[in-house]
mmCIF file of all heavy atoms in Angstrom:
data_model
loop_
_atom_site.group_PDB
_atom_site.id
_atom_site.type_symbol
_atom_site.label_atom_id
_atom_site.label_comp_id
_atom_site.label_asym_id
_atom_site.label_seq_id
_atom_site.Cartn_x
_atom_site.Cartn_y
_atom_site.Cartn_z
ATOM 1 N N ALA A 9 50.282 -2.032 108.422
ATOM 2 C CA ALA A 9 50.352 -0.562 108.493
ATOM 3 C C ALA A 9 51.790 -0.075 108.410
ATOM 4 O O ALA A 9 52.087 0.872 107.659
ATOM 5 C CB ALA A 9 49.664 -0.058 109.748
ATOM 6 N N ASN A 10 52.699 -0.660 109.195
ATOM 7 C CA ASN A 10 54.081 -0.158 109.208
ATOM 8 C C ASN A 10 54.703 -0.238 107.810
ATOM 9 O O ASN A 10 55.360 0.701 107.353
ATOM 10 C CB ASN A 10 54.907 -0.948 110.199
ATOM 11 C CG ASN A 10 54.721 -0.461 111.619
ATOM 12 O OD1 ASN A 10 54.065 0.567 111.830
ATOM 13 N ND2 ASN A 10 55.247 -1.163 112.595
ATOM 14 N N ARG A 11 54.511 -1.368 107.126
ATOM 15 C CA ARG A 11 55.098 -1.523 105.820
ATOM 16 C C ARG A 11 54.525 -0.545 104.807
ATOM 17 O O ARG A 11 55.215 -0.051 103.941
ATOM 18 C CB ARG A 11 54.955 -2.963 105.316
ATOM 19 C CG ARG A 11 55.898 -3.901 106.038
ATOM 20 C CD ARG A 11 56.162 -5.157 105.213
ATOM 21 N NE ARG A 11 57.239 -5.912 105.791
ATOM 22 C CZ ARG A 11 57.835 -6.939 105.205
ATOM 23 N NH1 ARG A 11 57.456 -7.313 104.041
ATOM 24 N NH2 ARG A 11 58.825 -7.586 105.792
ATOM 25 N N MET A 12 53.224 -0.303 104.922
ATOM 26 C CA MET A 12 52.618 0.660 104.004
ATOM 27 C C MET A 12 53.149 2.071 104.222
ATOM 28 O O MET A 12 53.411 2.813 103.308
ATOM 29 C CB MET A 12 51.083 0.637 104.166
ATOM 30 C CG MET A 12 50.446 -0.642 103.641
ATOM 31 S SD MET A 12 50.804 -0.942 101.883
ATOM 32 C CE MET A 12 49.962 0.483 101.137
ATOM 33 N N VAL A 13 53.309 2.440 105.519
ATOM 34 C CA VAL A 13 53.839 3.760 105.821
ATOM 35 C C VAL A 13 55.269 3.883 105.316
ATOM 36 O O VAL A 13 55.659 4.829 104.640
ATOM 37 C CB VAL A 13 53.769 4.021 107.320
ATOM 38 C CG1 VAL A 13 54.541 5.297 107.667
ATOM 39 C CG2 VAL A 13 52.305 4.132 107.781
ATOM 40 N N GLU A 14 56.101 2.883 105.597
ATOM 41 C CA GLU A 14 57.489 2.953 105.215
ATOM 42 C C GLU A 14 57.683 2.885 103.702
ATOM 43 O O GLU A 14 58.624 3.402 103.141
ATOM 44 C CB GLU A 14 58.272 1.809 105.879
ATOM 45 C CG GLU A 14 58.385 1.971 107.401
ATOM 46 C CD GLU A 14 58.934 0.711 108.051
ATOM 47 O OE1 GLU A 14 59.293 -0.213 107.293
ATOM 48 O OE2 GLU A 14 59.050 0.691 109.289
ATOM 49 N N SER A 15 56.745 2.219 103.014
ATOM 50 C CA SER A 15 56.930 2.026 101.589
ATOM 51 C C SER A 15 56.791 3.296 100.770
ATOM 52 O O SER A 15 57.166 3.346 99.606
ATOM 53 C CB SER A 15 55.916 1.003 101.065
ATOM 54 O OG SER A 15 54.600 1.497 101.180
ATOM 55 N N PHE A 16 56.232 4.367 101.337
ATOM 56 C CA PHE A 16 56.056 5.586 100.594
ATOM 57 C C PHE A 16 57.126 6.628 100.923
ATOM 58 O O PHE A 16 56.893 7.822 100.842
ATOM 59 C CB PHE A 16 54.666 6.167 100.850
ATOM 60 C CG PHE A 16 53.596 5.428 100.106
ATOM 61 C CD1 PHE A 16 52.936 4.373 100.696
ATOM 62 C CD2 PHE A 16 53.265 5.791 98.815
ATOM 63 C CE1 PHE A 16 51.943 3.675 100.013
ATOM 64 C CE2 PHE A 16 52.281 5.112 98.114
ATOM 65 C CZ PHE A 16 51.601 4.059 98.719
ATOM 66 N N ALA A 17 58.311 6.170 101.312
ATOM 67 C CA ALA A 17 59.406 7.072 101.642
ATOM 68 C C ALA A 17 60.160 7.549 100.400
ATOM 69 O O ALA A 17 61.069 8.360 100.497
ATOM 70 C CB ALA A 17 60.364 6.398 102.613
ATOM 71 N N HIS A 18 59.805 7.065 99.216
ATOM 72 C CA HIS A 18 60.383 7.523 97.925
ATOM 73 C C HIS A 18 61.907 7.386 97.905
ATOM 74 O O HIS A 18 62.600 8.335 97.536
ATOM 75 C CB HIS A 18 59.961 8.937 97.594
ATOM 76 C CG HIS A 18 58.473 9.064 97.349
ATOM 77 N ND1 HIS A 18 57.850 8.538 96.259
ATOM 78 C CD2 HIS A 18 57.500 9.600 98.116
ATOM 79 C CE1 HIS A 18 56.548 8.794 96.307
ATOM 80 N NE2 HIS A 18 56.310 9.419 97.462
ATOM 81 N N ARG A 19 62.375 6.212 98.285
ATOM 82 C CA ARG A 19 63.835 6.013 98.240
ATOM 83 C C ARG A 19 64.303 5.742 96.804
ATOM 84 O O ARG A 19 65.494 5.873 96.509
ATOM 85 C CB ARG A 19 64.207 4.844 99.141
ATOM 86 C CG ARG A 19 64.097 5.203 100.623
ATOM 87 C CD ARG A 19 64.619 4.076 101.478
ATOM 88 N NE ARG A 19 63.832 2.861 101.334
ATOM 89 C CZ ARG A 19 62.763 2.583 102.063
ATOM 90 N NH1 ARG A 19 62.364 3.408 102.967
ATOM 91 N NH2 ARG A 19 62.114 1.449 101.883
ATOM 92 N N ARG A 20 63.397 5.306 95.900
ATOM 93 C CA ARG A 20 63.765 5.091 94.497
ATOM 94 C C ARG A 20 62.839 5.931 93.646
ATOM 95 O O ARG A 20 61.668 6.120 93.964
ATOM 96 C CB ARG A 20 63.641 3.602 94.127
ATOM 97 C CG ARG A 20 64.871 2.799 94.574
ATOM 98 C CD ARG A 20 64.686 1.319 94.259
ATOM 99 N NE ARG A 20 65.948 0.597 94.490
ATOM 100 C CZ ARG A 20 66.054 -0.704 94.543
ATOM 101 N NH1 ARG A 20 64.949 -1.440 94.384
ATOM 102 N NH2 ARG A 20 67.208 -1.300 94.741
ATOM 103 N N PRO A 21 63.315 6.407 92.487
ATOM 104 C CA PRO A 21 62.509 7.322 91.681
ATOM 105 C C PRO A 21 61.278 6.623 91.076
ATOM 106 O O PRO A 21 61.272 5.396 90.895
ATOM 107 C CB PRO A 21 63.490 7.775 90.609
ATOM 108 C CG PRO A 21 64.534 6.720 90.529
ATOM 109 C CD PRO A 21 64.655 6.181 91.938
ATOM 110 N N ILE A 22 60.287 7.431 90.746
ATOM 111 C CA ILE A 22 59.025 6.889 90.253
ATOM 112 C C ILE A 22 59.207 6.154 88.918
ATOM 113 O O ILE A 22 58.477 5.230 88.611
ATOM 114 C CB ILE A 22 58.027 8.068 90.117
ATOM 115 C CG1 ILE A 22 56.621 7.501 89.844
ATOM 116 C CG2 ILE A 22 58.449 9.040 89.080
ATOM 117 C CD1 ILE A 22 55.558 8.580 89.820
ATOM 118 N N TRP A 23 60.209 6.550 88.159
ATOM 119 C CA TRP A 23 60.424 5.959 86.805
ATOM 120 C C TRP A 23 61.317 4.736 86.843
ATOM 121 O O TRP A 23 61.678 4.199 85.813
ATOM 122 C CB TRP A 23 61.051 7.000 85.885
ATOM 123 C CG TRP A 23 62.230 7.748 86.490
ATOM 124 C CD1 TRP A 23 62.206 8.966 87.098
ATOM 125 C CD2 TRP A 23 63.567 7.256 86.606
ATOM 126 N NE1 TRP A 23 63.469 9.293 87.547
ATOM 127 C CE2 TRP A 23 64.321 8.267 87.265
ATOM 128 C CE3 TRP A 23 64.245 6.117 86.207
ATOM 129 C CZ2 TRP A 23 65.683 8.139 87.526
ATOM 130 C CZ3 TRP A 23 65.575 5.966 86.471
ATOM 131 C CH2 TRP A 23 66.314 6.959 87.113
ATOM 132 N N TRP A 24 61.624 4.221 88.028
ATOM 133 C CA TRP A 24 62.663 3.175 88.153
ATOM 134 C C TRP A 24 62.354 1.921 87.344
ATOM 135 O O TRP A 24 63.256 1.288 86.803
ATOM 136 C CB TRP A 24 62.790 2.816 89.648
ATOM 137 C CG TRP A 24 63.949 1.944 89.964
ATOM 138 C CD1 TRP A 24 65.258 2.305 90.100
ATOM 139 C CD2 TRP A 24 63.913 0.524 90.207
ATOM 140 N NE1 TRP A 24 66.036 1.202 90.431
ATOM 141 C CE2 TRP A 24 65.224 0.115 90.501
ATOM 142 C CE3 TRP A 24 62.878 -0.425 90.223
ATOM 143 C CZ2 TRP A 24 65.553 -1.222 90.787
ATOM 144 C CZ3 TRP A 24 63.208 -1.752 90.488
ATOM 145 C CH2 TRP A 24 64.516 -2.141 90.767
ATOM 146 N N TYR A 25 61.086 1.567 87.242
ATOM 147 C CA TYR A 25 60.717 0.334 86.534
ATOM 148 C C TYR A 25 60.865 0.463 84.994
ATOM 149 O O TYR A 25 61.065 -0.513 84.301
ATOM 150 C CB TYR A 25 59.276 -0.078 86.853
ATOM 151 C CG TYR A 25 59.134 -0.769 88.192
ATOM 152 C CD1 TYR A 25 58.377 -0.199 89.201
ATOM 153 C CD2 TYR A 25 59.750 -2.004 88.453
ATOM 154 C CE1 TYR A 25 58.235 -0.806 90.424
ATOM 155 C CE2 TYR A 25 59.599 -2.639 89.670
ATOM 156 C CZ TYR A 25 58.852 -2.035 90.674
ATOM 157 O OH TYR A 25 58.708 -2.643 91.877
ATOM 158 N N LEU A 26 60.677 1.691 84.498
ATOM 159 C CA LEU A 26 60.562 1.861 83.039
ATOM 160 C C LEU A 26 61.790 1.361 82.285
ATOM 161 O O LEU A 26 61.671 0.632 81.284
ATOM 162 C CB LEU A 26 60.286 3.311 82.701
ATOM 163 C CG LEU A 26 58.899 3.821 83.174
ATOM 164 C CD1 LEU A 26 58.725 5.287 82.794
ATOM 165 C CD2 LEU A 26 57.777 2.976 82.590
ATOM 166 N N PRO A 27 63.022 1.728 82.677
ATOM 167 C CA PRO A 27 64.187 1.224 81.914
ATOM 168 C C PRO A 27 64.421 -0.274 82.099
ATOM 169 O O PRO A 27 65.158 -0.857 81.299
ATOM 170 C CB PRO A 27 65.366 2.052 82.500
ATOM 171 C CG PRO A 27 64.908 2.490 83.835
ATOM 172 C CD PRO A 27 63.436 2.667 83.737
ATOM 173 N N LEU A 28 63.785 -0.896 83.081
ATOM 174 C CA LEU A 28 63.938 -2.323 83.269
ATOM 175 C C LEU A 28 62.950 -3.146 82.453
ATOM 176 O O LEU A 28 63.151 -4.372 82.276
ATOM 177 C CB LEU A 28 63.755 -2.686 84.757
ATOM 178 C CG LEU A 28 64.784 -2.112 85.723
ATOM 179 C CD1 LEU A 28 64.455 -2.541 87.154
ATOM 180 C CD2 LEU A 28 66.186 -2.618 85.383
ATOM 181 N N LEU A 29 61.897 -2.539 81.957
ATOM 182 C CA LEU A 29 60.862 -3.269 81.235
ATOM 183 C C LEU A 29 61.419 -4.016 80.021
ATOM 184 O O LEU A 29 61.033 -5.169 79.780
ATOM 185 C CB LEU A 29 59.721 -2.358 80.829
ATOM 186 C CG LEU A 29 58.814 -1.902 81.972
ATOM 187 C CD1 LEU A 29 57.778 -0.910 81.465
ATOM 188 C CD2 LEU A 29 58.121 -3.102 82.617
ATOM 189 N N PRO A 30 62.324 -3.427 79.194
ATOM 190 C CA PRO A 30 62.865 -4.190 78.069
ATOM 191 C C PRO A 30 63.546 -5.478 78.498
ATOM 192 O O PRO A 30 63.432 -6.486 77.806
ATOM 193 C CB PRO A 30 63.847 -3.214 77.428
ATOM 194 C CG PRO A 30 63.333 -1.866 77.797
ATOM 195 C CD PRO A 30 62.784 -2.030 79.168
ATOM 196 N N LEU A 31 64.230 -5.457 79.603
ATOM 197 C CA LEU A 31 64.910 -6.645 80.129
ATOM 198 C C LEU A 31 63.897 -7.646 80.675
ATOM 199 O O LEU A 31 63.955 -8.858 80.382
ATOM 200 C CB LEU A 31 65.945 -6.296 81.153
ATOM 201 C CG LEU A 31 66.705 -7.466 81.815
ATOM 202 C CD1 LEU A 31 67.466 -8.281 80.770
ATOM 203 C CD2 LEU A 31 67.631 -6.982 82.921
ATOM 204 N N MET A 32 62.967 -7.150 81.476
ATOM 205 C CA MET A 32 62.002 -8.022 82.107
ATOM 206 C C MET A 32 61.126 -8.724 81.092
ATOM 207 O O MET A 32 60.703 -9.858 81.276
ATOM 208 C CB MET A 32 61.153 -7.243 83.103
ATOM 209 C CG MET A 32 61.900 -6.736 84.309
ATOM 210 S SD MET A 32 60.822 -6.099 85.625
ATOM 211 C CE MET A 32 60.290 -4.538 84.879
ATOM 212 N N LEU A 33 60.823 -8.036 80.004
ATOM 213 C CA LEU A 33 59.903 -8.563 78.977
ATOM 214 C C LEU A 33 60.643 -9.058 77.741
ATOM 215 O O LEU A 33 60.030 -9.279 76.700
ATOM 216 C CB LEU A 33 58.896 -7.504 78.563
ATOM 217 C CG LEU A 33 57.942 -7.046 79.699
ATOM 218 C CD1 LEU A 33 57.085 -5.865 79.210
ATOM 219 C CD2 LEU A 33 57.067 -8.224 80.169
ATOM 220 N N PHE A 34 61.959 -9.248 77.823
ATOM 221 C CA PHE A 34 62.694 -9.790 76.683
ATOM 222 C C PHE A 34 62.239 -11.220 76.470
ATOM 223 O O PHE A 34 62.018 -11.968 77.434
ATOM 224 C CB PHE A 34 64.201 -9.753 76.992
ATOM 225 C CG PHE A 34 65.029 -10.250 75.843
ATOM 226 C CD1 PHE A 34 65.420 -9.398 74.824
ATOM 227 C CD2 PHE A 34 65.395 -11.584 75.752
ATOM 228 C CE1 PHE A 34 66.156 -9.856 73.753
ATOM 229 C CE2 PHE A 34 66.149 -12.077 74.667
ATOM 230 C CZ PHE A 34 66.512 -11.202 73.672
ATOM 231 N N PRO A 35 62.087 -11.675 75.185
ATOM 232 C CA PRO A 35 62.380 -10.982 73.939
ATOM 233 C C PRO A 35 61.197 -10.209 73.359
ATOM 234 O O PRO A 35 61.322 -9.569 72.315
ATOM 235 C CB PRO A 35 62.731 -12.140 72.990
ATOM 236 C CG PRO A 35 61.843 -13.240 73.473
ATOM 237 C CD PRO A 35 61.743 -13.084 74.958
ATOM 238 N N TRP A 36 60.035 -10.270 74.028
ATOM 239 C CA TRP A 36 58.825 -9.680 73.449
ATOM 240 C C TRP A 36 58.930 -8.186 73.279
ATOM 241 O O TRP A 36 58.377 -7.618 72.323
ATOM 242 C CB TRP A 36 57.620 -10.051 74.338
ATOM 243 C CG TRP A 36 57.556 -11.490 74.721
ATOM 244 C CD1 TRP A 36 57.609 -12.001 75.971
ATOM 245 C CD2 TRP A 36 57.488 -12.593 73.847
ATOM 246 N NE1 TRP A 36 57.550 -13.366 75.937
ATOM 247 C CE2 TRP A 36 57.497 -13.770 74.624
ATOM 248 C CE3 TRP A 36 57.419 -12.743 72.459
ATOM 249 C CZ2 TRP A 36 57.410 -15.031 74.105
ATOM 250 C CZ3 TRP A 36 57.383 -14.012 71.908
ATOM 251 C CH2 TRP A 36 57.361 -15.158 72.730
ATOM 252 N N PHE A 37 59.630 -7.525 74.180
ATOM 253 C CA PHE A 37 59.743 -6.069 74.128
ATOM 254 C C PHE A 37 60.413 -5.612 72.831
ATOM 255 O O PHE A 37 60.102 -4.550 72.308
ATOM 256 C CB PHE A 37 60.489 -5.548 75.328
ATOM 257 C CG PHE A 37 60.285 -4.087 75.582
ATOM 258 C CD1 PHE A 37 59.291 -3.628 76.429
ATOM 259 C CD2 PHE A 37 61.073 -3.116 74.948
ATOM 260 C CE1 PHE A 37 59.055 -2.274 76.655
ATOM 261 C CE2 PHE A 37 60.853 -1.779 75.175
ATOM 262 C CZ PHE A 37 59.859 -1.339 76.032
ATOM 263 N N LEU A 38 61.331 -6.424 72.304
ATOM 264 C CA LEU A 38 62.044 -6.059 71.090
ATOM 265 C C LEU A 38 61.402 -6.601 69.813
ATOM 266 O O LEU A 38 61.948 -6.448 68.734
ATOM 267 C CB LEU A 38 63.490 -6.569 71.145
ATOM 268 C CG LEU A 38 64.349 -6.002 72.304
ATOM 269 C CD1 LEU A 38 65.776 -6.513 72.208
ATOM 270 C CD2 LEU A 38 64.380 -4.456 72.225
ATOM 271 N N TRP A 39 60.250 -7.221 69.936
ATOM 272 C CA TRP A 39 59.555 -7.758 68.757
ATOM 273 C C TRP A 39 58.751 -6.603 68.143
ATOM 274 O O TRP A 39 57.694 -6.255 68.648
ATOM 275 C CB TRP A 39 58.666 -8.906 69.188
ATOM 276 C CG TRP A 39 57.911 -9.565 68.099
ATOM 277 C CD1 TRP A 39 58.088 -9.412 66.763
ATOM 278 C CD2 TRP A 39 56.839 -10.500 68.264
ATOM 279 N NE1 TRP A 39 57.201 -10.170 66.073
ATOM 280 C CE2 TRP A 39 56.415 -10.874 66.950
ATOM 281 C CE3 TRP A 39 56.217 -11.072 69.366
ATOM 282 C CZ2 TRP A 39 55.375 -11.805 66.730
ATOM 283 C CZ3 TRP A 39 55.192 -11.972 69.154
ATOM 284 C CH2 TRP A 39 54.793 -12.314 67.846
ATOM 285 N N THR A 40 59.261 -6.066 67.062
ATOM 286 C CA THR A 40 58.613 -4.878 66.464
ATOM 287 C C THR A 40 57.223 -5.211 65.959
ATOM 288 O O THR A 40 56.299 -4.369 66.040
ATOM 289 C CB THR A 40 59.482 -4.345 65.319
ATOM 290 O OG1 THR A 40 59.753 -5.410 64.398
ATOM 291 C CG2 THR A 40 60.802 -3.791 65.861
ATOM 292 N N GLY A 41 57.022 -6.418 65.432
ATOM 293 C CA GLY A 41 55.706 -6.810 64.954
ATOM 294 C C GLY A 41 54.649 -6.835 66.026
ATOM 295 O O GLY A 41 53.489 -6.562 65.781
ATOM 296 N N LEU A 42 55.087 -7.140 67.263
ATOM 297 C CA LEU A 42 54.145 -7.183 68.358
ATOM 298 C C LEU A 42 53.577 -5.788 68.633
ATOM 299 O O LEU A 42 52.390 -5.624 68.851
ATOM 300 C CB LEU A 42 54.834 -7.734 69.622
ATOM 301 C CG LEU A 42 54.016 -7.750 70.896
ATOM 302 C CD1 LEU A 42 52.840 -8.717 70.734
ATOM 303 C CD2 LEU A 42 54.888 -8.146 72.086
ATOM 304 N N TRP A 43 54.462 -4.783 68.650
ATOM 305 C CA TRP A 43 53.980 -3.439 68.923
ATOM 306 C C TRP A 43 53.153 -2.871 67.764
ATOM 307 O O TRP A 43 52.210 -2.120 67.972
ATOM 308 C CB TRP A 43 55.192 -2.517 69.205
ATOM 309 C CG TRP A 43 55.900 -2.962 70.430
ATOM 310 C CD1 TRP A 43 57.167 -3.485 70.512
ATOM 311 C CD2 TRP A 43 55.403 -2.996 71.767
ATOM 312 N NE1 TRP A 43 57.487 -3.814 71.800
ATOM 313 C CE2 TRP A 43 56.423 -3.559 72.611
ATOM 314 C CE3 TRP A 43 54.191 -2.622 72.344
ATOM 315 C CZ2 TRP A 43 56.235 -3.699 73.963
ATOM 316 C CZ3 TRP A 43 54.011 -2.799 73.706
ATOM 317 C CH2 TRP A 43 55.038 -3.306 74.510
ATOM 318 N N ARG A 44 53.484 -3.286 66.549
ATOM 319 C CA ARG A 44 52.685 -2.858 65.405
ATOM 320 C C ARG A 44 51.280 -3.432 65.465
ATOM 321 O O ARG A 44 50.328 -2.852 64.968
ATOM 322 C CB ARG A 44 53.360 -3.252 64.084
ATOM 323 C CG ARG A 44 54.534 -2.355 63.708
ATOM 324 C CD ARG A 44 54.912 -2.545 62.250
ATOM 325 N NE ARG A 44 55.387 -3.888 61.989
ATOM 326 C CZ ARG A 44 56.656 -4.262 62.031
ATOM 327 N NH1 ARG A 44 57.589 -3.366 62.346
ATOM 328 N NH2 ARG A 44 57.005 -5.483 61.756
ATOM 329 N N ALA A 45 51.138 -4.580 66.112
ATOM 330 C CA ALA A 45 49.816 -5.161 66.312
ATOM 331 C C ALA A 45 49.111 -4.638 67.539
ATOM 332 O O ALA A 45 47.896 -4.432 67.543
ATOM 333 C CB ALA A 45 49.932 -6.695 66.400
ATOM 334 N N THR A 46 49.885 -4.355 68.586
ATOM 335 C CA THR A 46 49.283 -3.986 69.871
ATOM 336 C C THR A 46 48.773 -2.535 69.891
ATOM 337 O O THR A 46 47.690 -2.257 70.414
ATOM 338 C CB THR A 46 50.289 -4.214 71.026
ATOM 339 O OG1 THR A 46 50.696 -5.595 71.037
ATOM 340 C CG2 THR A 46 49.664 -3.855 72.359
ATOM 341 N N LEU A 47 49.534 -1.615 69.362
ATOM 342 C CA LEU A 47 49.159 -0.213 69.447
ATOM 343 C C LEU A 47 47.820 0.081 68.740
ATOM 344 O O LEU A 47 46.970 0.782 69.322
ATOM 345 C CB LEU A 47 50.287 0.669 68.885
ATOM 346 C CG LEU A 47 51.574 0.656 69.729
ATOM 347 C CD1 LEU A 47 52.662 1.492 69.051
ATOM 348 C CD2 LEU A 47 51.318 1.143 71.169
ATOM 349 N N PRO A 48 47.582 -0.402 67.517
ATOM 350 C CA PRO A 48 46.247 -0.179 66.935
ATOM 351 C C PRO A 48 45.133 -0.822 67.718
ATOM 352 O O PRO A 48 44.038 -0.276 67.825
ATOM 353 C CB PRO A 48 46.396 -0.828 65.529
ATOM 354 C CG PRO A 48 47.851 -0.824 65.248
ATOM 355 C CD PRO A 48 48.499 -1.042 66.572
#
């Protein structure tokens, strides 16, 4: 309970993960052919 309560204090912005995704998913994130296949 304590950790759940404390975890919603919004100390980091909601979008924090988004700019890290290219690094976390490298090299796949930069593979243009992958997105051309995935989006359709």
Side-chain angles (χ1 to χ4, degrees):
N10 279 351
R11 285 204 169 190
M12 290 302 295
V13 170
E14 293 171 1
S15 66
F16 284 92
H18 295 290
R19 288 185 297 271
R20 280 178 171 166
I22 190 174
W23 47 262
W24 190 80
Y25 281 116
L26 294 180
L28 295 179
L29 287 176
L31 177 61
M32 293 190 288
L33 295 175
F34 182 87
W36 313 119
F37 198 92
L38 297 183
W39 182 12
T40 55
L42 177 65
W43 297 113
R44 285 196 295 267
T46 302
L47 293 177

